[in-house]
Every structure is written in structure tokens, then in C-alpha cells.
Amino acid sequence: MILVTGGAGFIGSNFVLDWLAVQDEPVLNLDKLTYAGNLENLAALQGDARHVFVQGDIGDPALVRTLLAKHEPRAVLNFAAESHVDRSIHAPGTFIDTNVVGTFRLLDEVRAYWSELPPAQKEAFRFLHVSTDEVYGSLAPADPAFGEQNRYEPNSPYSASKAASDHMVRAYHHTYGLPVLTTNCSNNYGPFHFPEKLIPLVIVNALAGKPLPVYGDGQQIRDWLYVGDHCSAIRRVLEAGRVGETYNVGGWNEKPNLDIVRTICALLDELRPRADGRRYAEQVAFVKDRPGHDRRYAIDARKIERELGWKPAETFETGIRKTVQWYLAHADWVQRVQSGAYRDWIAQQYAAA
Ligand code: NAD
Ligand code: DAU
């Protein structure tokens, strides 16, 4: 089996669902169930013996040791993290706890387990670390997209914590020979995306008749990738990636935030027009900028295409339409994730906007 950490979050749950849809190898899913973890994402696997869920912390060495000894996974895929940049600005401590210390503790237990494996299993074992393009910092308009050789220049507490974890993963390969793989992916979107992030926030606020908060001038650029394409890239890297290598994963889809918001508004105008006949774009509200806001991310995904033959299957147009349709069809999911804690975060983050 494989051990997936953070498999109740946005990307992790999409990964687990996709994995079990395309193959039968069981998944052990270790997730702390923070505010971002949601077992409802995995409801389709209820009663499926191929999915074993354990609530727990990647930074709990005794738990990780027990799970590794009991289930003997052939690979560990580390999705678990604190992932929201704005939260890292308000409260960086949990980002250090999970992304830095947690990843270190996980790595250390995995190294101990791996070092005792029989030779053939030791050779075949993989630790795949899921990371982000944000470790590379911010690009100027004419800069080439981030390649794997770009210098690390993280600018937020979130990206600095992810950069630290990437370095630790690299060090465990270089020093101990642990067979690691690292993926650095651009912005994902799709089903089960927690509505604190731009795309789901805009969809749910639009439908609720609330303002659509655009930070600063809305001209910051992100490179969007449909989550299913990220999952297929991870499966491919696990299958055939060269040990010790990093692979950048992206959608060749650079777009300014304001364009994203307007695209969503136009789709909603078509699929769920406002009762008063007005346009959703009238709800756009420019609010104060994110401190230290990175201006542009863009991924050069040629290495993963050249070496592993991976390319995204979705265009932005197909992916965003599917995503808006998913949110329209899952109003109950949206309502349930908008708990008291969620409302507290939104009130705090957008209070002075
Ligand atoms: P998410 O916040 O939606 O989910 C994170 C999951 O990790 C949650 O289920 C949470 O309960 C769990 N978790 C948090 N702390 C934990 C701990 N200490 N032990 C065990 N589980 C813990 O995040 P996401 O957007 O799904 O991101 C998943 C991974 O992909 C992260 O490592 C993130 O840095 C990376 N990434 C995300 C994006 C993106 O656009 N969302 C892009 C590139 C890379
Ligand atoms: O690039 C990969 C990263 O993408 C991942 O590593 C992170 O885990 C993930 O959260 C995401 O980070 P971003 O900061 O790019 O995503 P977010 O959805 O928070 O914001 C996207 C852009 O939209 C960013 O430029 C900030 C802006 N934004 C965001 C929010 C929440 C707004 O303008 N208004 C908002 O209310």
C-alpha cells in the first residue's frame, strides 16, 4: 500500500479518490483533520476496504512509527501542510510546526523504517514530497517561468516553511540516501477546494450576494492547474521519477487574478443568473493588498513533460467550467464547511478590507 498524509485536504482527497479510481493498491491516509481536513471529501470511499483512515499528526513519531511497522507501505506521499498564505501572515507558528518540524519528524521515522527494509523493497521505496512553486519567490513580468534550477527565494511564512521542508527532504536523500522525489506545483483549483482560497471564495461569495474581494490592483498573476492534472502528475512522478530529482508541475495557464474573478462571474451569469438580472461582476470589491504579495508565478513544466511524458489534460476553460458546476451542485458541502471557525476567519481577514 501507499501512505498518503493530508489525504483529507483539498489536493490530498482528490489524489486518494483518483488513485483508487485508477488502481486497486490500498491507501493508508494519515490526516490530523485541521480546519482544512474534511472526511466528507472521502465519503465516496465509505465501506471501501482499500482506504484506511487514521486521524493523527505527521509530527507524532510514535504514531508514524507504529503505522509504518503495521502497514509496511512501499511509498509515502506527503501532502500534509498548513497551506494558506494569508493564515501564515496572521499566525506563522502552525506553519513551522507542521511544514517544518512535522515534515522533519515524518522524514526521520520514514528513514528509520526504510533503512531496515530488505534490499529489493529498500530499492523500490519512495518518499514523495508535495511542494509549491511559491518557494521560488516572485517573477517580474518579462522573467522566464520557474525552472527546477531557480534559486529558492520564499517571501511568505508559508513559502519559507515549505522551502525549509524541501531542503530537509533533499538533505535526507543526500545524507542518508533516502529515495525522495519532490514536486513543485503551481496554483490548483477544482472540487473540494476550501473557500478561503481565491477561486472557491469568489464562487461562494458571488452566490451569497457578498463582495468578491480582490487584493490590491488584481493584476497579480498565478499559473492555474486543475487539481486532477496535479494528481496525475504526482502518480507519474511516483511511478517513473528519477530519485533525488525535483519536478515542476504547472498548467501553462498564467492569468491575472482579476481575469479569474471575471471569468467566474461570467460563468455564473450563464449557469446561475442573479435573480435581479444584474451581473455578478458588480460584486467585485478591491480590498487592501496582502502584505508581501508575490506579483507573478509561472511554472516551466518542460522537464516533467520531457522525462515523464506528463502534460495537463484540462485547459483553464474546461477546468474552471467543471469547477463552477461542481460548486453549484454541492451547495450542501459548501454550507457544511462554512462552520463557525470558517466564519471567524473570514470576519478577521476581511474586517478592515
Ligand atoms: P489543504 O490545506 O487543503 O489540506 C491540508 C491537509 O493536511 C488537511 O487535510 C489537514 O487536515 C492536513 N494536515 C495539516 N496539518 C497536518 C499534520 N500536522 N499532520 C497531518 N495532517 C495535517 O492543502 P492543499 O491545498 O490540499 O495542499 C496540499 C499540499 O499541496 C500542501 O503540501 C501544499 O503546500 C501543496 N500545494 C498546494 C497547492 C494549492 O494550490 N493548493 C499548490 C502547490 C502545492
Ligand atoms: O502557487 C501555489 C500556491 O497556491 C500553494 O502553494 C498554496 O498552498 C495555495 O494556497 C496557493 O497560494 P496563493 O496565495 O496563490 O492562493 P490564494 O487562492 O490564496 O490566492 C490566489 C491569488 O488571489 C493571490 O494573488 C491572492 C489573491 N487573492 C486571494 C484571496 C483569498 C485575492 O485577491 N483575494 C482573496 O480574497
Side-chain angles (χ1 to χ4, degrees), residues 83 132-134 158 187 198 213 215 222 257 290 293 350:
S83 68
T132 171
D133 59 358
E134 301 201 10
Y158 163 69
N187 285 62
L198 179 71
Y215 295 162
R222 297 292 182 265
N257 293 337
R290 172 185 281 175
H293 199 170
Y350 299 97

Side-chain angles (χ1 to χ4, degrees), residues 319-352:
I320 194 69
R321 180 173 284 272
K322 272 194 199 176
T323 303
V324 171
Q325 283 168 332
W326 187 89
Y327 280 86
L328 287 173
H330 292 84
D332 48 346
W333 180 91
V334 171
Q335 199 189 354
R336 281 194 286 274
V337 299
Q338 291 177 313
S339 66
Y342 174 81
R343 285 198 297 274
D344 293 347
W345 162 253
I346 295 293
Q348 177 194 355
Q349 170 66 4
Y350 299 97

Side-chain angles (χ1 to χ4, degrees), residues 258-319:
L258 195 54
D259 286 17
I260 297 291
V261 175
R262 288 190 173 135
T263 300
I264 294 168
C265 289
L267 277 167
L268 287 173
D269 287 336
E270 174 197 330
L271 299 168
R272 181 72 57 84
R274 270 172 52 156
D276 61 6
R278 301 175 79 122
R279 302 270 171 208
Y280 283 101
E282 291 179 33
Q283 291 168 229
V284 168
F286 290 90
V287 300
K288 78 171 176 346
D289 209 351
R290 172 185 281 175
H293 199 170
D294 285 337
R295 198 70 187 160
R296 174 178 168 236
Y297 305 142
I299 278 281
D300 179 342
R302 281 178 298 181
K303 177 177 170 183
I304 188 172
E305 181 173 354
R306 191 176 59 245
E307 289 192 11
L308 305 178
W310 176 88
K311 273 197 299 200
E314 299 286 345
T315 63
F316 186 71
E317 289 64 34
T318 58

Side-chain angles (χ1 to χ4, degrees), residues 9-11 31-32 34 37 57-58 79 83 98 131 158 162 188:
F10 163 47
I11 303 173
D31 194 297
K32 190 176 175 180
T34 67
D57 194 325
I58 58 166
F79 293 82
S83 68
T98 286
S131 193
Y158 163 69
K162 290 296 290 186
N188 285 213

Side-chain angles (χ1 to χ4, degrees), residues 144-281:
F146 299 130
E148 286 80 1
Q149 302 308 322
N150 266 65
R151 215 167 77 173
Y152 271 35
E153 291 182 339
N155 289 321
S156 72
Y158 163 69
S159 54
S161 69
K162 290 296 290 186
S165 67
D166 293 9
H167 291 324
M168 204 48 104
V169 169
R170 177 189 157 90
Y172 267 62
H173 174 63
H174 192 80
T175 306
Y176 306 111
L178 186 70
V180 306
L181 298 156
T182 299
T183 54
N184 292 89
C185 189
S186 61
N187 285 62
N188 285 213
Y189 66 99
F192 305 117
H193 205 181
F194 195 72
E196 63 184 354
K197 310 280 168 63
L198 179 71
I199 287 181
L201 181 75
V202 165
I203 299 171
V204 306
N205 275 14
L207 292 170
K210 293 183 179 160
L212 311 179
V214 173
Y215 295 162
D217 63 3
Q219 292 308 312
Q220 304 83 5
I221 290 172
R222 297 292 182 265
D223 178 355
W224 295 94
L225 181 69
Y226 189 70
V227 64
D229 281 326
H230 188 187
C231 294
S232 72
I234 291 171
R235 290 199 303 274
R236 185 68 190 131
V237 171
L238 179 66
E239 184 179 38
R242 285 189 293 132
V243 165
E245 292 291 311
T246 67
Y247 292 90
N248 284 358
V249 184
W252 303 104
N253 247 317
E254 286 187 60
K255 295 200 186 294
N257 293 337
L258 195 54
D259 286 17
I260 297 291
V261 175
R262 288 190 173 135
T263 300
I264 294 168
C265 289
L267 277 167
L268 287 173
D269 287 336
E270 174 197 330
L271 299 168
R272 181 72 57 84
R274 270 172 52 156
D276 61 6
R278 301 175 79 122
R279 302 270 171 208
Y280 283 101

Side-chain angles (χ1 to χ4, degrees), residues 44 63 66 113 126 167 272 275 335:
L63 173 64
T66 305
Y113 161 76
R126 297 289 182 269
H167 291 324
R272 181 72 57 84
Q335 199 189 354

